[in-house]
Amino acid sequence: QVQLAESGGGLVQTGDSLRLTCAASEHSIFDSYAMAWFRQAPGKEREVIAAISWDGVDRYYELSVKGRFTISRDNAEASVYLQMNSLKPEDTAIYFCAASSVTGTASRLSRHYGYLGRGTQVIVSS
């Protein structure tokens, strides 16, 4: 059972940057599977906004964050990161780290991610 712990959320202003970090408990399987960041805004469904393949080569970004957010991973540290730049009020959400147990590719499909962290809150004020 993989446990994921997110950190780095907070309250920022429009245009600011934040870096989210996710630490996984299982080093032995971390570098075999894809990782992703989900977010859930108030009143909306949780969605995949960024994903990265097991080797860090392939990445997926949801259109609204493409060009502003960067996902990366460090397999030696069993960690995945989300660098968020040029934040907007519409980025306000709870951000969740996720790990796949079925694929090593950067999947955009929520059902491919069987492990989810508890989330970290990001609030962007206007």
Side-chain angles (χ1 to χ4, degrees):
Q1 182 76 11
V2 177
Q3 294 185 345
L4 305 169
E6 305 94 337
S7 60
L11 172 63
V12 297
Q13 295 184 334
T14 298
D16 284 352
S17 298
L18 274 177
R19 187 186 194 221
L20 305 183
T21 297
C22 171
S25 62
E26 293 291 331
H27 286 239
S28 60
I29 66 171
F30 180 84
D31 57 359
S32 299
Y33 293 107
M35 298 292 294
W37 286 95
F38 286 61
R39 74 181 177 189
Q40 186 167 20
K44 296 188 177 181
E45 292 187 356
R46 194 160 51 205
E47 60 176 350
V48 177
I49 59 165
I52 189 166
S53 59
W54 69 276
D55 57 0
V57 173
D58 294 321
R59 301 173 188 184
Y60 159 80
Y61 295 102
E62 194 272 331
L63 189 60
S64 68
V65 306
K66 196 170 186 178
R68 299 187 298 123
F69 292 9
T70 302
I71 187 171
S72 60
R73 66 189 295 162
D74 184 338
N75 289 348
E77 296 293 327
S79 295
V80 64
Y81 310 98
L82 186 67
Q83 177 66 43
M84 306 187 294
N85 298 330
S86 302
L87 283 161
K88 306 174 181 180
E90 51 264 43
D91 294 318
T92 294
I94 300 174
Y95 285 71
F96 300 87
C97 174
S100 176
S101 59
V102 298
T103 183
T105 62
S107 174
R108 60 177 292 182
L109 299 177
S110 299
R111 65 176 185 270
H112 284 171
Y113 298 93
Y115 302 103
L116 205 66
R118 291 188 173 185
T120 184
Q121 177 77 60
V122 172
I123 300 173
V124 185
S125 65
S126 58

XYZ file of all heavy atoms in Angstrom, residues 11-106:
745
model
N -1.712 30.193 0.727
C -2.448 31.341 0.206
C -1.473 32.272 -0.492
O -0.491 32.709 0.123
C -3.141 32.061 1.360
C -3.815 33.403 1.024
C -4.940 33.225 0.027
C -4.310 34.068 2.304
N -1.727 32.540 -1.764
C -0.854 33.404 -2.549
C -1.705 34.398 -3.330
O -2.930 34.294 -3.360
C 0.028 32.604 -3.520
C 0.970 31.680 -2.758
C -0.824 31.804 -4.503
N -1.024 35.334 -3.982
C -1.720 36.317 -4.800
C -1.604 35.961 -6.277
O -0.716 35.199 -6.679
C -1.145 37.707 -4.544
C -1.373 38.198 -3.125
C -0.888 39.621 -2.911
O 0.004 40.084 -3.614
N -1.486 40.313 -1.958
N -2.475 36.528 -7.070
C -2.430 36.328 -8.516
C -1.045 36.658 -9.046
O -0.475 37.694 -8.700
C -3.477 37.208 -9.206
O -4.780 36.822 -8.759
C -3.407 37.057 -10.717
N -0.518 35.753 -9.869
C 0.794 35.939 -10.459
C 1.929 35.312 -9.682
O 3.048 35.200 -10.194
N 1.662 34.887 -8.461
C 2.697 34.266 -7.632
C 2.971 32.831 -8.081
O 2.269 32.283 -8.939
C 2.267 34.255 -6.164
C 2.400 35.622 -5.522
O 2.967 36.539 -6.161
O 1.924 35.791 -4.379
N 3.972 32.243 -7.453
C 4.350 30.854 -7.720
C 4.288 30.029 -6.442
O 4.455 30.557 -5.339
C 5.766 30.787 -8.297
O 5.847 31.458 -9.532
N 4.070 28.736 -6.623
C 4.127 27.775 -5.524
C 4.733 26.493 -6.061
O 4.577 26.171 -7.247
C 2.733 27.446 -4.981
C 2.105 28.328 -3.915
C 0.710 27.826 -3.602
C 2.957 28.389 -2.663
N 5.389 25.751 -5.183
C 5.906 24.438 -5.560
C 5.338 23.407 -4.598
O 5.584 23.480 -3.383
C 7.422 24.413 -5.495
C 8.024 23.117 -6.053
C 9.507 23.081 -5.836
N 10.171 22.058 -6.616
C 11.154 21.287 -6.156
N 11.575 21.442 -4.913
N 11.724 20.391 -6.937
N 4.582 22.486 -5.147
C 4.030 21.401 -4.352
C 4.976 20.207 -4.394
O 5.592 19.926 -5.425
C 2.661 20.987 -4.877
C 1.607 22.083 -4.993
C 0.290 21.476 -5.450
C 1.444 22.835 -3.699
N 5.053 19.518 -3.274
C 5.880 18.325 -3.169
C 5.029 17.156 -2.699
O 4.140 17.324 -1.862
C 7.029 18.549 -2.167
O 7.877 19.584 -2.655
C 7.852 17.272 -1.981
N 5.303 15.994 -3.254
C 4.621 14.774 -2.827
C 5.677 13.717 -2.542
O 6.497 13.398 -3.410
C 3.683 14.286 -3.919
S 2.980 12.654 -3.628
N 5.629 13.172 -1.335
C 6.567 12.118 -0.942
C 5.818 10.796 -0.840
O 4.772 10.715 -0.198
C 7.216 12.472 0.389
N 6.368 9.769 -1.475
C 5.756 8.438 -1.439
C 6.442 7.565 -0.404
O 7.648 7.673 -0.180
C 5.847 7.785 -2.811
N 5.672 6.670 0.190
C 6.206 5.828 1.262
C 6.951 4.609 0.737
O 7.788 4.039 1.439
C 5.071 5.355 2.170
O 4.153 4.559 1.424
N 6.668 4.209 -0.515
C 7.238 2.981 -1.048
C 8.255 3.277 -2.140
O 7.907 3.488 -3.286
C 6.132 2.079 -1.614
C 5.184 1.540 -0.560
C 5.860 0.535 0.341
O 6.801 -0.131 -0.124
O 5.456 0.425 1.519
N 9.518 3.274 -1.782
C 10.555 3.536 -2.762
C 10.672 2.410 -3.782
O 11.009 2.631 -4.936
C 11.906 3.724 -2.062
C 12.042 5.026 -1.365
N 13.040 5.936 -1.658
C 11.313 5.592 -0.385
C 12.917 6.987 -0.877
N 11.886 6.810 -0.091
N 10.378 1.200 -3.349
C 10.646 0.032 -4.189
C 9.804 -0.008 -5.449
O 10.226 -0.538 -6.463
C 10.430 -1.254 -3.383
O 9.086 -1.312 -2.931
N 8.605 0.572 -5.410
C 7.753 0.533 -6.597
C 7.577 1.906 -7.232
O 7.020 2.025 -8.309
C 6.363 -0.052 -6.280
C 5.584 0.867 -5.337
C 6.490 -1.444 -5.722
C 4.139 0.450 -5.174
N 8.072 2.931 -6.551
C 7.804 4.299 -7.015
C 8.265 4.505 -8.440
O 7.570 5.113 -9.248
C 8.492 5.296 -6.083
C 8.267 6.726 -6.474
C 7.127 7.402 -6.088
C 9.202 7.408 -7.250
C 6.905 8.722 -6.450
C 9.001 8.730 -7.622
C 7.844 9.383 -7.220
N 9.457 4.010 -8.770
C 10.013 4.308 -10.081
C 9.496 3.393 -11.180
O 10.024 3.400 -12.283
C 11.541 4.291 -10.045
C 12.096 2.966 -9.560
O 11.289 2.068 -9.244
O 13.322 2.834 -9.482
N 8.453 2.629 -10.888
C 7.862 1.769 -11.918
C 6.597 2.341 -12.515
O 6.143 1.874 -13.566
C 7.548 0.394 -11.330
O 8.706 -0.238 -10.867
N 6.016 3.316 -11.859
C 4.676 3.754 -12.231
C 4.578 5.252 -12.474
O 5.387 6.039 -11.988
C 3.681 3.343 -11.147
C 3.529 1.845 -11.061
C 4.065 1.140 -9.999
C 2.863 1.146 -12.050
C 3.936 -0.232 -9.921
C 2.737 -0.224 -11.984
C 3.264 -0.910 -10.924
O 3.137 -2.263 -10.853
N 3.556 5.597 -13.223
C 3.272 7.002 -13.478
C 2.783 7.680 -12.206
O 2.202 7.056 -11.328
C 2.216 7.121 -14.568
N 3.005 8.979 -12.159
C 2.514 9.816 -11.073
C 1.728 10.973 -11.671
O 1.928 11.331 -12.838
C 3.678 10.369 -10.243
C 4.519 9.320 -9.550
S 3.638 8.479 -8.239
C 3.389 9.815 -7.061
N 0.852 11.544 -10.878
C 0.036 12.636 -11.382
C -0.348 13.580 -10.259
O -0.235 13.247 -9.077
C -1.234 12.091 -12.043
N -0.767 14.761 -10.669
C -1.407 15.707 -9.766
C -2.842 15.904 -10.235
O -3.094 16.143 -11.424
C -0.676 17.045 -9.766
C 0.620 16.997 -9.041
C 1.859 16.787 -9.570
C 0.814 17.174 -7.625
N 2.816 16.812 -8.579
C 2.203 17.057 -7.373
C -0.036 17.431 -6.543
C 2.744 17.173 -6.090
C 0.503 17.546 -5.282
C 1.878 17.423 -5.062
N -3.751 15.773 -9.276
C -5.156 16.084 -9.492
C -5.444 17.400 -8.772
O -4.714 17.797 -7.863
C -6.052 15.027 -8.827
C -6.130 13.706 -9.514
C -5.011 12.911 -9.708
C -7.362 13.211 -9.930
C -5.105 11.661 -10.310
C -7.466 11.955 -10.523
C -6.346 11.189 -10.705
N -6.559 18.019 -9.133
C -7.065 19.107 -8.306
C -8.590 19.071 -8.308
O -9.209 18.586 -9.248
C -6.551 20.464 -8.756
C -7.169 21.021 -10.025
C -6.548 22.374 -10.355
N -7.060 22.932 -11.602
C -6.562 24.013 -12.190
N -5.525 24.665 -11.635
N -7.079 24.458 -13.306
N -9.140 19.582 -7.227
C -10.589 19.662 -7.106
C -10.951 21.052 -6.609
O -10.647 21.408 -5.462
C -11.133 18.601 -6.159
C -12.649 18.555 -6.112
C -13.180 17.321 -5.423
O -12.477 16.665 -4.661
N -14.431 16.988 -5.697
N -11.572 21.802 -7.484
C -12.022 23.147 -7.140
C -13.393 23.063 -6.478
O -14.121 22.079 -6.662
C -12.092 24.001 -8.402
N -13.773 24.076 -5.713
C -15.093 24.069 -5.054
C -16.221 23.848 -6.053
O -16.304 24.534 -7.069
C -15.163 25.454 -4.427
C -13.746 25.849 -4.211
C -12.993 25.267 -5.363
N -17.057 22.837 -5.778
C -18.203 22.569 -6.628
C -17.896 21.844 -7.916
O -18.780 21.670 -8.758
N -16.640 21.424 -8.081
C -16.257 20.743 -9.322
C -15.703 19.357 -9.035
O -15.342 19.041 -7.905
C -15.231 21.577 -10.085
C -15.765 22.917 -10.570
C -14.772 23.611 -11.470
C -15.339 24.920 -12.011
N -14.379 25.603 -12.917
N -15.635 18.554 -10.075
C -15.072 17.209 -9.920
C -13.548 17.260 -9.877
O -12.930 18.179 -10.418
C -15.535 16.324 -11.086
C -17.015 16.021 -11.083
C -17.399 15.007 -12.143
O -16.520 14.594 -12.921
O -18.577 14.630 -12.190
N -12.986 16.246 -9.274
C -11.540 16.122 -9.249
C -11.043 15.725 -10.642
O -11.648 14.867 -11.291
C -11.146 15.060 -8.213
C -9.691 15.054 -7.833
C -9.497 14.351 -6.507
N -10.129 13.060 -6.466
C -10.533 12.456 -5.346
N -10.371 13.064 -4.189
N -11.099 11.276 -5.394
N -9.952 16.351 -11.073
C -9.456 16.095 -12.420
C -7.939 16.008 -12.424
O -7.254 16.627 -11.604
C -9.893 17.216 -13.376
C -9.385 18.597 -12.986
C -9.738 19.687 -13.977
O -10.220 19.369 -15.082
O -9.514 20.870 -13.660
N -7.437 15.247 -13.390
C -5.993 15.157 -13.586
C -5.524 16.422 -14.295
O -6.040 16.775 -15.352
C -5.621 13.931 -14.438
C -4.114 13.898 -14.687
C -6.076 12.645 -13.765
N -4.554 17.113 -13.724
C -4.040 18.309 -14.383
C -2.623 18.131 -14.897
O -2.175 18.872 -15.767
C -4.104 19.542 -13.468
C -3.288 19.308 -12.185
C -5.544 19.917 -13.160
C -3.012 20.581 -11.412
N -1.911 17.163 -14.375
C -0.560 16.907 -14.846
C -0.188 15.468 -14.521
O -0.603 14.942 -13.483
C 0.442 17.860 -14.200
N 0.574 14.851 -15.404
C 1.013 13.476 -15.182
C 2.416 13.306 -15.744
O 2.815 14.026 -16.670
C 0.055 12.492 -15.836
N 3.147 12.344 -15.179
C 4.518 12.117 -15.620
C 4.781 10.617 -15.669
O 4.342 9.867 -14.787
C 5.513 12.849 -14.688
C 6.926 12.802 -15.248
C 5.451 12.308 -13.264
C 7.879 13.787 -14.555
N 5.493 10.183 -16.699
C 5.788 8.765 -16.858
C 6.808 8.301 -15.821
O 7.438 9.103 -15.144
C 6.324 8.507 -18.269
O 7.499 9.264 -18.500
N 6.964 7.000 -15.716
C 7.827 6.435 -14.684
C 9.255 6.957 -14.771
O 9.927 7.091 -13.746
C 7.839 4.908 -14.802
C 8.547 4.418 -16.042
C 8.029 4.283 -17.289
C 9.927 4.047 -16.147
N 8.978 3.850 -18.162
C 10.157 3.688 -17.492
C 10.987 3.975 -15.231
C 11.406 3.272 -17.941
C 12.227 3.559 -15.668
C 12.421 3.218 -17.016
N 9.716 7.246 -15.992
C 11.087 7.680 -16.170
C 11.223 9.193 -16.300
O 12.320 9.703 -16.537
C 11.703 7.007 -17.389
C 10.906 7.264 -18.656
O 9.877 7.969 -18.594
O 11.292 6.749 -19.709
N 10.109 9.897 -16.196
C 10.148 11.355 -16.275
C 10.235 11.926 -17.672
O 10.307 13.142 -17.843
N 10.199 11.075 -18.674
C 10.383 11.541 -20.052
C 9.098 12.137 -20.626
O 9.110 13.195 -21.263
C 10.877 10.385 -20.944
C 10.896 10.808 -22.409
C 12.265 9.948 -20.494
N 7.999 11.458 -20.421
C 6.718 11.912 -20.990
C 5.875 12.611 -19.930
O 5.834 12.174 -18.765
C 5.942 10.723 -21.561
C 6.657 10.111 -22.744
O 7.218 10.880 -23.548
O 6.657 8.873 -22.854
N 5.203 13.674 -20.342
C 4.364 14.438 -19.433
C 3.064 14.813 -20.121
O 3.009 14.995 -21.342
C 5.091 15.708 -18.967
C 6.392 15.404 -18.264
C 7.194 16.631 -17.958
N 8.522 16.259 -17.462
C 9.427 17.117 -17.047
N 9.161 18.402 -17.057
N 10.601 16.691 -16.616
N 2.040 14.937 -19.335
C 0.734 15.393 -19.801
C 0.326 16.597 -18.962
O 0.554 16.624 -17.740
C -0.323 14.282 -19.647
C -1.730 14.825 -19.622
C -2.368 15.165 -20.810
C -2.392 15.041 -18.427
C -3.649 15.706 -20.800
C -3.665 15.570 -18.403
C -4.289 15.902 -19.583
O -5.545 16.441 -19.565
N -0.262 17.587 -19.621
C -0.809 18.747 -18.910
C -2.208 19.037 -19.421
O -2.455 19.023 -20.635
C 0.058 19.989 -19.139
C 1.442 19.877 -18.553
C 2.541 19.592 -19.352
C 1.653 20.066 -17.185
C 3.814 19.487 -18.814
C 2.929 19.968 -16.636
C 3.990 19.673 -17.464
O 5.257 19.566 -16.923
N -3.093 19.289 -18.502
C -4.421 19.767 -18.855
C -4.281 21.156 -19.439
O -3.394 21.931 -19.046
C -5.302 19.743 -17.614
C -6.790 19.894 -17.873
C -7.221 21.333 -17.901
O -6.571 22.150 -17.210
O -8.173 21.657 -18.639
N -5.153 21.498 -20.375
C -4.977 22.710 -21.158
C -4.875 23.978 -20.305
O -4.073 24.870 -20.598
C -6.129 22.842 -22.156
C -5.996 23.952 -23.197
C -4.748 23.749 -24.039
C -7.241 23.992 -24.076
N -5.640 24.058 -19.232
C -5.676 25.292 -18.443
C -4.377 25.561 -17.679
O -4.143 26.682 -17.235
C -6.847 25.259 -17.466
O -6.644 24.279 -16.473
N -3.538 24.533 -17.520
C -2.291 24.727 -16.767
C -1.057 24.624 -17.651
O 0.061 24.942 -17.205
C -2.168 23.722 -15.601
C -3.402 23.772 -14.717
C -1.912 22.311 -16.095
N -1.260 24.202 -18.883
C -0.126 24.011 -19.790
C 0.609 25.324 -20.006
O -0.005 26.359 -20.259
C -0.615 23.450 -21.123
C 0.475 22.858 -21.985
C -0.127 22.100 -23.162
C 0.934 21.384 -23.960
N 0.378 20.607 -25.083
N 1.936 25.290 -19.870
C 2.746 26.490 -20.020
C 2.978 27.233 -18.719
O 3.861 28.092 -18.641
N 2.196 26.923 -17.688
C 2.359 27.580 -16.380
C 2.831 26.608 -15.306
O 3.554 26.994 -14.389
C 1.035 28.193 -15.939
C 0.488 29.252 -16.876
C -0.749 29.941 -16.280
N -1.851 29.013 -16.053
C -2.424 28.822 -14.873
N -1.999 29.492 -13.813
N -3.439 27.969 -14.748
N 2.396 25.361 -15.400
C 2.746 24.342 -14.414
C 3.754 23.368 -15.004
O 3.716 23.057 -16.196
C 1.519 23.558 -13.975
C 0.501 24.338 -13.165
C 0.593 25.716 -13.010
C -0.545 23.674 -12.546
C -0.336 26.425 -12.263
C -1.491 24.361 -11.799
C -1.391 25.734 -11.661
N 4.638 22.847 -14.140
C 5.603 21.842 -14.555
C 5.637 20.711 -13.535
O 5.838 20.962 -12.345
C 7.011 22.444 -14.681
O 6.991 23.521 -15.628
C 8.006 21.385 -15.151
N 5.436 19.499 -14.016
C 5.529 18.325 -13.159
C 6.904 17.695 -13.340
O 7.440 17.641 -14.464
C 4.407 17.305 -13.473
C 4.408 16.169 -12.450
C 4.511 16.785 -14.899
C 3.199 15.243 -12.564
N 7.474 17.228 -12.236
C 8.771 16.559 -12.300
C 8.815 15.509 -11.201
O 7.953 15.490 -10.316
C 9.918 17.568 -12.135
O 9.830 18.238 -10.893
N 9.811 14.648 -11.278
C 9.925 13.605 -10.273
C 11.380 13.300 -9.999
O 12.250 13.502 -10.855
C 9.184 12.339 -10.715
C 9.761 11.635 -11.917
C 8.831 10.524 -12.413
N 8.700 9.451 -11.433
C 7.703 8.556 -11.445
N 6.763 8.632 -12.377
N 7.662 7.592 -10.542
N 11.625 12.770 -8.819
C 12.950 12.321 -8.415
C 12.767 10.916 -7.868
O 12.329 10.744 -6.721
C 13.537 13.263 -7.359
C 14.951 12.896 -6.970
O 15.356 11.727 -7.161
O 15.657 13.780 -6.456
N 13.067 9.919 -8.674
C 12.843 8.541 -8.247
C 13.725 8.138 -7.077
O 13.324 7.312 -6.252
C 13.031 7.592 -9.427
C 11.910 7.694 -10.443
O 10.871 8.318 -10.177
N 12.109 7.109 -11.603
N 14.901 8.703 -6.993
C 15.790 8.378 -5.872
C 15.196 8.846 -4.549
O 15.427 8.225 -3.505
C 17.157 9.005 -6.091
N 14.443 9.930 -4.613
C 13.807 10.472 -3.419
C 12.351 10.034 -3.279
O 11.686 10.418 -2.320
C 13.867 12.001 -3.444
C 15.271 12.567 -3.392
C 15.942 12.292 -2.053
O 15.244 12.249 -1.013
O 17.179 12.089 -2.051
N 11.865 9.259 -4.254
C 10.458 8.839 -4.267
C 9.543 10.042 -4.105
O 8.606 10.041 -3.284
C 10.183 7.800 -3.182
N 9.823 11.075 -4.880
C 9.055 12.314 -4.768
C 8.644 12.825 -6.140
O 9.333 12.590 -7.143
C 9.874 13.393 -4.061
O 10.127 13.028 -2.716
N 7.533 13.525 -6.158
C 7.065 14.181 -7.361
C 6.713 15.617 -6.996
O 6.303 15.888 -5.863
C 5.870 13.425 -7.989
C 4.674 13.430 -7.064
C 5.505 14.002 -9.342
N 6.906 16.516 -7.951
C 6.754 17.931 -7.687
C 5.811 18.566 -8.707
O 5.669 18.074 -9.831
C 8.118 18.622 -7.763
C 9.176 17.930 -6.937
C 10.068 17.040 -7.524
C 9.282 18.158 -5.568
C 11.029 16.385 -6.769
C 10.243 17.512 -4.804
C 11.111 16.626 -5.409
O 12.057 15.971 -4.661
N 5.221 19.675 -8.302
C 4.432 20.483 -9.229
C 4.819 21.941 -9.020
O 4.478 22.532 -7.995
C 2.930 20.299 -9.008
C 2.046 20.995 -10.042
C 2.213 20.338 -11.411
C 0.581 20.976 -9.621
N 5.540 22.486 -9.986
C 5.899 23.897 -9.961
C 4.781 24.665 -10.626
O 4.467 24.422 -11.789
C 7.220 24.120 -10.698
C 7.635 25.575 -10.772
C 7.973 26.173 -9.414
O 8.633 25.536 -8.603
N 7.508 27.397 -9.154
N 4.184 25.587 -9.899
C 3.049 26.346 -10.406
C 3.435 27.815 -10.490
O 3.720 28.442 -9.461
C 1.836 26.165 -9.494
C 1.467 24.709 -9.260
S -0.065 24.510 -8.351
C 0.408 25.190 -6.756
N 3.446 28.340 -11.688
C 3.788 29.738 -11.923
C 2.575 30.501 -12.454
O 1.611 29.901 -12.937
C 4.938 29.839 -12.924
C 6.207 29.182 -12.430
O 6.481 29.122 -11.234
N 7.002 28.677 -13.359
N 2.650 31.808 -12.353
C 1.582 32.676 -12.877
C 0.204 32.217 -12.396
O -0.737 32.055 -13.180
C 1.616 32.690 -14.412
O 2.871 33.126 -14.884
N 0.102 32.005 -11.113
C -1.142 31.482 -10.553
C -2.295 32.462 -10.727
O -2.120 33.687 -10.666
C -0.952 31.134 -9.084
C -0.191 29.814 -8.848
C 0.364 29.747 -7.432
C -1.090 28.628 -9.149
N -3.472 31.878 -10.934
C -4.690 32.643 -11.147
C -5.728 32.245 -10.095
O -5.655 31.141 -9.549
C -5.260 32.333 -12.536
C -4.296 32.534 -13.684
C -4.913 32.071 -14.995
C -3.956 32.233 -16.168
N -4.555 31.779 -17.448
N -6.706 33.100 -9.841
C -7.753 32.728 -8.870
C -8.443 31.410 -9.217
O -8.830 30.658 -8.317
C -8.714 33.913 -8.949
C -7.847 35.074 -9.302
C -6.831 34.502 -10.265
N -8.576 31.118 -10.499
C -9.218 29.869 -10.905
C -8.372 28.632 -10.631
O -8.828 27.508 -10.816
C -9.622 29.913 -12.386
C -8.527 30.340 -13.331
C -8.595 31.826 -13.663
O -8.813 32.649 -12.743
O -8.413 32.159 -14.859
N -7.131 28.822 -10.185
C -6.303 27.687 -9.757
C -6.601 27.294 -8.310
O -6.058 26.294 -7.825
C -4.820 28.028 -9.896
C -4.391 28.221 -11.337
O -4.818 27.424 -12.195
O -3.623 29.171 -11.605
N -7.425 28.071 -7.641
C -7.792 27.751 -6.265
C -8.475 26.387 -6.219
O -9.471 26.155 -6.910
C -8.726 28.827 -5.699
O -7.994 30.057 -5.591
C -9.255 28.428 -4.333
N -7.910 25.490 -5.408
C -8.415 24.119 -5.338
C -7.638 23.351 -4.286
O -6.633 23.841 -3.755
C -8.258 23.422 -6.690
N -8.094 22.149 -4.027
C -7.287 21.205 -3.265
C -6.510 20.379 -4.279
O -7.094 19.853 -5.238
C -8.157 20.290 -2.381
C -8.958 21.130 -1.392
C -7.270 19.296 -1.627
C -9.944 20.331 -0.576
N -5.217 20.269 -4.075
C -4.342 19.552 -5.001
C -3.935 18.217 -4.369
O -3.483 18.177 -3.220
C -3.112 20.387 -5.319
C -3.420 21.522 -6.255
C -4.157 22.624 -5.827
C -3.006 21.495 -7.589
C -4.472 23.657 -6.694
C -3.311 22.537 -8.462
C -4.049 23.608 -8.005
O -4.357 24.636 -8.868
N -4.101 17.166 -5.162
C -3.826 15.812 -4.706
C -2.714 15.176 -5.534
O -2.726 15.289 -6.764
C -5.072 14.929 -4.838
C -6.271 15.393 -4.064
C -7.155 16.310 -4.615
C -6.515 14.906 -2.791
C -8.276 16.734 -3.911
C -7.626 15.321 -2.076
C -8.513 16.231 -2.641
N -1.840 14.486 -4.870
C -0.832 13.674 -5.532
C -1.418 12.284 -5.753
O -2.172 11.776 -4.913
C 0.393 13.596 -4.631
S 1.691 12.500 -5.192
N -1.085 11.666 -6.881
C -1.625 10.344 -7.184
C -0.563 9.453 -7.808
O 0.313 9.925 -8.532
C -2.810 10.476 -8.134
N -0.676 8.184 -7.521
C 0.235 7.193 -8.084
C -0.573 6.119 -8.809
O -1.623 5.694 -8.335
C 1.069 6.555 -6.982
N -0.055 5.711 -9.930
C -0.708 4.629 -10.666
C -0.180 3.282 -10.201
O 0.962 3.171 -9.777
C -0.443 4.783 -12.158
O -0.983 3.690 -12.876
N -1.035 2.276 -10.294
C -0.596 0.907 -10.037
C -0.753 0.050 -11.288
O -0.568 -1.173 -11.227
C -1.408 0.300 -8.886
O -2.780 0.297 -9.203
N -1.103 0.722 -12.421
C -1.384 -0.057 -13.626
C -0.596 0.391 -14.849
O -0.543 -0.324 -15.846
C -2.892 -0.022 -13.960
C -3.696 -0.638 -12.837
C -3.363 1.409 -14.242
N 0.011 1.575 -14.789
C 0.696 2.057 -15.976
C 1.907 2.903 -15.627
O 1.930 3.561 -14.584
C -0.247 2.873 -16.872
O 0.467 3.263 -18.062
C -0.739 4.133 -16.172
N 2.899 2.869 -16.512
C 4.072 3.712 -16.337
C 4.041 4.924 -17.249
O 4.923 5.782 -17.168
N 3.011 5.023 -18.086
C 2.907 6.152 -19.006
C 2.179 7.312 -18.347
O 1.438 7.126 -17.379
C 2.180 5.765 -20.295
O 0.839 5.362 -19.970
C 2.870 4.607 -20.981
N 2.370 8.496 -18.901
C 1.772 9.706 -18.340
C 0.294 9.769 -18.712
O -0.104 10.520 -19.606
C 2.514 10.937 -18.849
